[in-house]
Amino acid sequence: MQSKKNRLNIEKIIADSLKRQGEQRREYHLFGRLFYLYEPFALPIDVLAVIEDVETTVPSHLFDEVDEIMVGDFDFLNDLGREAEYRDGAIYITNQLASEKDLVENIIHELSHSIEVKYGHLIYGDMTLQSEFLGKRRRLKSILESNGLESQHDFSNTEYDEEFDSFLYEDIGYIELSAYIGGLFVSPYAVTSLAEYWAVGFEDYFIGDREYVQKISPQLFSKIEGVLFYDV
């Protein structure tokens, strides 16, 4: 009887120890890159499952421009109202994400921006992606105007513009905008700039509807595959 009790106590000690180790762990690795939690996630996130998901979804060579991934409560993300950002070789991600799915999406989205550094000439050099994007912008402008949603914003500006995004997000609303972009953009955020058109399409290529990306954005699809197989 005493032996059984001791065994149960030992098993509880081991289980508690493993639980503490899991709670305290801050350092992981994704394709050999440091994945570090400056502050733990506010909600339970299975980081190892996320890493496995990303590593089985995206080829390792696409991470060439990423040195590390950092998670925490970063002031610059809060100030910008963003969940993640790629800058200076690192992907910074807020620790306020709600799920593993959100974490995977943010990693792949910001990965796409890192790829612009290395493959910008392939993505934008021949201007075909810009042409596709601006053609969609012009069609969307006509659709909005026909629905009484006229705007003085410059739809030919390919750079991100906070006022234009505010027009889409607040004046129209992303939910209503979704009804107007079918067959043009894979999501409302893809409308905001050429860089986000690339990034949202890249994200959807790997974890969304790849066939839909190819159907409505053939140039974008071609650019993604051009980057994907460039070093193979």
Side-chain angles (χ1 to χ4, degrees), residues 107-127:
I107 292 172
I108 294 179
H109 187 94
E110 296 309 318
L111 171 65
S112 75
H113 289 310
S114 78
I115 289 170
E116 290 176 289
V117 175
K118 182 176 182 180
Y119 296 107
H121 62 294
L122 293 176
I123 300 168
Y124 304 116
D126 64 3
M127 303 296 289

Side-chain angles (χ1 to χ4, degrees), residues 192-209:
T192 59
S193 71
L194 178 61
E196 294 306 331
Y197 179 64
W198 156 260
V200 173
F202 182 92
E203 181 184 331
D204 253 45
Y205 178 94
F206 286 104
I207 55 175
D209 189 339

